[in-house]
Amino acid sequence: MYAITIPEPGGPEALVWDEVPDPVVGEGEVLVDVVATAVNRADILQRQGFYDPPPGTSPYPGLECSGRVAQVGPGVSGWAVGDEVCALLSGGGYAEKVAVPAGQLLPVPEGVSVERAAALPEVVCTVWSNVFMIAHLRPGETFLVHGGSSGIGTMAIQLAKAVGAKVAVTAGTKEKLERCAELGADILINYREQDFVAELREATDGKGADVILDNMGAKYLNRNVQALAVNGRLVIIGMQGGVKGELNIGALLAKRGAITATTLRARPVEEKAAIVAAVREHVWPLVSAGHVRPVIDREIPMPDAAEAHRIVEDSSHIGKVLLVTPR
Ligand SMILES: NC(=O)c1ccc[n+]([C@@H]2O[C@H](COP(=O)([O-])OP(=O)(O)OC[C@H]3O[C@@H](n4cnc5c(N)ncnc54)[C@H](OP(=O)(O)O)[C@@H]3O)[C@@H](O)[C@H]2O)c1
C-alpha cells in the first residue's frame, strides 16, 4: 500500500507519499480500506518530531479515518467485510489501509457520506470524553470553548448546544466568530481584541463558565480559573500556549474548582473502546438526526498532505481538513 511517511522530522515537506508494507491484522482487529482521514494538530507535532506514536502502533500519522472493512481479524464479531465505518486511531490514518482494534470502530452515521465521516471520530471522542464523561456539562450550564472554529471547537459548540448548554467561544477573527454563531454559539469573544474573562463575566451576570474546554494550557491557566463559575470544571486538552504555568491555588479554592487534563491518543485500548461505545450511544443519534454534523473546511488528496498541514498551521481553516485516498 501507499502511506504518508516521515523519513525525517521537519516542515510540511517532510511528509512523503511512499510505498510501505501492508498492515498485519492482529487478534481483535479489523483491516479498513481507508477512504479518507482528517488532519489533527497532533499530526503536526508528530511530523515535527515532538509527538512519537505510542509503542506498538502505526508509525504513520492520522488519528482517525473512514472507509470500508476489508478483513476481519480473529476474535472479532459484529463487523463484516464491506461495512462502511469510521474509526478512532492511535495512528496510521494517512494510508490506504489501517488495522484498527474493533472497539474503536463506529458505523458511518446515517445522513453522512463515508468520506465526510472521517472528520468525526477524533473530535467527537475528545469532546464527549472530556466535556461530558469527565466535566459532566449539564443542561442550562455555561460552557466556554477556546478556539471555537477549530475542529474540536466546531464539534464542542454543537454537542453542548444539543444538550441545552449556553455556549461561549473565543476565536481570532470576526469571520470565525460568525461561523461559531451559525453553529449555535451564544457568546462570541475575539481573543485578539477582547479579554475573555471580562466578556464572559459580563455575559453571565458575573457568574462565569461552569465548564471550560481549553487548548492553550499555560498561557490561559490563571485566566481560565478566573473565568470559572463556582464549582466550575476546567478541562485542558492542548498546550498551544505552553506547558508550564504557575497556578493561583487560592483562586481555585475560592471557586471550589476542578482542573483536569487528558490526552486521548495514549489511553489504553479498553478506555478508547468505552469512549467509542458512549459516543455511539449518545452522539450518533444526534448526528443521524442532523442536530450535529461534521464541519469540513476542504478536502485534499492524501498525497498532498503537506498542503493540508500548511493550512492547519496557518489556522486559515474552519472545522476539519480532510485527506482523501486517491482511487
Ligand atoms: N488531549 C487530546 O486528547 C486532544 C485531542 C484532540 C485535539 N486536542 C487539542 O485540541 C486543540 C484543537 O485541536 P484541533 O485539531 O481542532 O486544532 P485546530 O483546528 O488547528 O485549531 C487550533 C485552534 O487554536 C485556536 N487558538 C490559537 N491561539 C488561540 C488563543 N490565544 N486563544 C484561543 N484560541 C486560540 C485557533 O483559533 P484561531 O484560528 O481563531 O486563531 C484555532 O481555532 C489543539 O490544541 C489540539 O492539540 C487534544
Side-chain angles (χ1 to χ4, degrees):
M1 70 165 183
Y2 274 78
I4 290 286
T5 62
I6 309 173
E8 286 294 328
E13 67 289 345
L15 301 173
V16 180
W17 184 243
D18 204 358
E19 195 165 7
V20 299
D22 280 12
V24 178
V25 184
E27 175 87 24
E29 290 185 336
V30 162
L31 185 70
V32 176
D33 272 336
V34 175
V35 168
T37 183
V39 180
N40 287 281
R41 207 140 263 269
D43 308 342
I44 291 164
L45 294 177
Q46 179 170 342
R47 188 203 74 211
Q48 292 169 332
F50 300 131
Y51 194 27
D52 288 338
T57 60
S58 168
Y60 316 121
L63 299 177
E64 57 195 335
C65 76
S66 61
R68 295 182 183 84
V69 171
Q71 191 187 330
V72 176
V76 174
S77 59
W79 299 102
V81 170
D83 284 351
E84 291 192 335
V85 293
C86 54
L88 179 68
L89 307 173
S90 301
Y94 291 27
E96 289 179 316
K97 296 172 199 286
V98 65
V100 189
Q104 289 165 223
L105 286 179
L106 286 154
V108 169
E110 251 173 72
V112 178
S113 69
V114 63
E115 212 164 87
R116 294 173 73 84
L120 291 170
E122 175 73 13
V123 290
V124 173
C125 290
T126 300
V127 173
W128 191 260
S129 59
N130 286 289
V131 177
F132 297 92
M133 295 171 79
I134 292 175
H136 302 290
L137 180 68
R138 286 183 285 266
E141 288 194 322
T142 299
F143 170 63
L144 167 64
V145 57
H146 289 298
S149 68
S150 65
I152 290 286
T154 52
M155 182 51 60
I157 295 167
Q158 296 182 78
L159 287 176
K161 287 304 289 181
V163 304
K166 183 171 182 177
V167 176
V169 297
T170 59
T173 68
K174 188 166 167 281
E175 186 211 356
K176 288 183 175 183
L177 287 170
E178 279 165 6
R179 287 296 299 278
C180 294
E182 283 164 24
L183 292 169
D186 307 285
I187 303 167
L188 310 173
I189 304 167
N190 185 329
Y191 72 78
R192 294 185 200 275
E193 296 170 357
Q194 295 170 296
D195 171 12
F196 73 83
V197 179
E199 294 297 324
L200 192 70
R201 204 172 276 151
E202 195 183 318
T204 58
D205 296 328
K207 192 171 151 280
D210 299 291
V211 174
I212 300 177
L213 185 63
D214 174 69
N215 60 334
M216 296 304 292
K219 186 174 175 188
Y220 278 2
L221 181 58
N222 281 305
R223 284 209 281 156
N224 276 332
V225 172
Q226 287 169 24
L228 277 183
V230 171
N231 293 315
R233 292 86 74 195
L234 165 62
V235 189
I236 302 172
I237 59 164
M239 301 175 289
Q240 288 171 236
V243 295
K244 283 189 188 170
E246 200 173 280
L247 175 67
N248 181 338
I249 296 169
L252 188 64
L253 288 180
K255 292 285 171 71
R256 300 193 289 283
I259 302 180
T260 315
T262 71
T263 173
L264 183 57
R265 189 183 201 181
R267 289 206 187 194
V269 170
E270 303 74 38
E271 286 185 27
K272 285 184 182 157
I275 292 167
V276 167
V279 159
R280 190 168 178 173
E281 182 184 345
H282 298 287
V283 182
W284 251 219
L286 297 171
V287 180
S288 296
H291 300 314
V292 169
R293 58 183 197 277
V295 176
I296 294 167
D297 185 88
R298 72 191 85 186
E299 299 180 10
I300 290 175
M302 199 180 287
D304 302 331
E307 186 191 339
H309 275 217
R310 284 189 195 100
I311 290 161
V312 172
E313 278 182 275
D314 289 350
S315 222
S316 53
H317 64 298
I318 290 177
K320 303 281 293 188
V321 176
L322 285 191
L323 293 172
V324 181
T325 316
R327 340 226 119 249

